[in-house]
Amino acid sequence: MHNVILETRGLTKEFNGFTAVDSVDLKVQEGHIHALIGPNGAGKSTVFNLLTRFLPASRGEVFYQGQSISRLCPHRIAHLGLVRSFQISAVFGHMSVLENVRVALQRRLGTSFHFWKSLRTLESLDERAMQLLEAVDLQDFARRKTAELPYGRKRALELATTLALEPKVMLLDEPTQGMGHEDVDRVVELIRKAALGRTVLMVEHNLHVVSSLCDRITVLARGSVLAEGDYASVAQDPRVREAYLGKEASHG
């Protein structure tokens, strides 16, 4: 039996009377790849913002490794090992691919603002940076300017910078959004590899990705949990089919 590493109880977020997230109870098992899916406007990204305290919850609690993190700041949460990869590619275009990973490694070491550090100190990070680039199949792009990378490769670099922070739990916000088939397949394999020895919670629209990667799926609709289970059981749930496809399709 897997331990629960991340849990929410009654998690709720209201904006001026509108309830975006409504009493969400979520349990993410350690070592699982867990997907959060649902139609547009279901509250998925808001849940991510609440988990990492980019937004404060109106009500409810978030527990990580059995401890409440509901009042910690985002930086502290990331330092504990709950690390989020953003929906919009968050890499520095003017830097080389290697430099981007090196910056992430500096953040982990707490030296990110030590611009006076000697070049030798920074170069000592290169070996680890290259290992991370090899993990996401970017070793041949190390010296390339990041702005020149194709979109799918930028997302792979983002995964490398996330791994540099040594996450126990990775929160991936739509990691395959805007990609063609070839890039999607590559990123799916990278996530599978990155998930070894880690836990992943991902928001993902591509149901083919979800079905091939995920151990467990939580479906949100209108801010509430509609269904939960493995892909086969969730896909057969008439409420889920209705939420995605409309009433006619769910009865078809």
Side-chain angles (χ1 to χ4, degrees):
M1 177 71 183
H2 290 265
N3 293 323
V4 173
I5 191 166
L6 183 63
E7 181 180 1
T8 70
R9 297 178 197 163
L11 196 62
T12 300
K13 182 63 181 175
E14 293 163 349
F15 297 100
N16 299 323
F18 168 71
T19 305
V21 173
D22 190 1
S23 300
V24 166
D25 294 334
L26 182 67
K27 287 186 178 180
V28 179
Q29 309 274 344
E30 192 168 7
H32 272 189
I33 303 179
H34 191 126
L36 203 54
I37 70 170
N40 286 332
K44 305 180 296 295
S45 289
T46 306
V47 167
F48 262 33
N49 283 329
L50 296 173
L51 290 173
T52 49
R53 286 277 296 164
F54 281 91
L55 279 175
S58 303
R59 286 186 300 286
E61 292 274 326
V62 179
F63 295 88
Y64 173 64
Q65 295 185 308
Q67 302 293 315
S68 174
I69 58 169
S70 301
R71 276 158 282 284
L72 297 183
C73 66
H75 172 76
R76 184 82 189 101
I77 288 170
H79 209 73
L80 289 173
L82 187 65
V83 178
R84 177 180 180 174
S85 160
F86 281 87
Q87 190 173 354
I88 297 155
S89 192
V91 288
F92 300 107
H94 63 284
M95 290 183 178
S96 74
V97 168
L98 182 71
E99 285 168 339
N100 264 282
V101 180
R102 206 162 62 185
V103 165
L105 287 167
Q106 281 180 266
R107 281 172 63 193
R108 180 68 192 166
L109 293 173
T111 59
S112 43
F113 301 112
H114 295 189
F115 294 115
W116 59 87
K117 284 269 181 188
S118 72
L119 199 56
R120 190 177 300 135
T121 310
L122 294 180
E123 284 171 352
S124 70
L125 299 172
D126 283 359
E127 186 180 352
R128 177 64 183 139
M130 283 304 295
Q131 288 171 354
L132 288 163
L133 289 178
E134 282 167 21
V136 297
D137 202 20
L138 283 178
Q139 63 274 19
D140 297 340
F141 296 83
R143 304 293 169 188
R144 186 89 70 86
K145 204 178 216 185
T146 299
E148 297 168 3
L149 290 183
Y151 180 69
R153 298 283 189 182
K154 276 187 187 145
R155 298 312 297 262
L157 174 56
E158 189 182 300
L159 197 56
T161 59
T162 303
L163 290 172
L165 298 174
E166 297 182 13
K168 294 186 182 80
V169 179
M170 284 198 299
L171 303 178
L172 303 180
D173 200 353
E174 302 198 21
T176 68
Q177 187 183 41
M179 289 184 187
H181 287 304
E182 189 180 315
D183 279 337
V184 168
D185 291 344
R186 186 189 296 118
V187 168
V188 164
E189 285 314 307
L190 293 180
I191 292 170
R192 189 173 276 127
K193 206 157 72 165
L196 292 172
R198 293 186 181 86
T199 305
V200 175
L201 178 64
M202 60 194 291
V203 168
E204 182 55 65
H205 271 111
N206 185 326
L207 295 183
H208 173 68
V209 169
V210 171
S211 67
S212 65
L213 262 184
C214 297
D215 302 293
R216 194 159 185 83
I217 294 145
T218 300
V219 186
L220 290 184
R222 298 187 191 90
S224 299
V225 174
L226 185 65
E228 192 168 282
D230 60 22
Y231 185 80
S233 61
V234 162
Q236 292 305 312
D237 191 314
R239 295 168 304 165
V240 174
R241 294 162 68 95
E242 184 179 322
Y244 268 99
L245 304 167
K247 273 194 165 61
E248 290 74 21
S250 70
H251 296 304

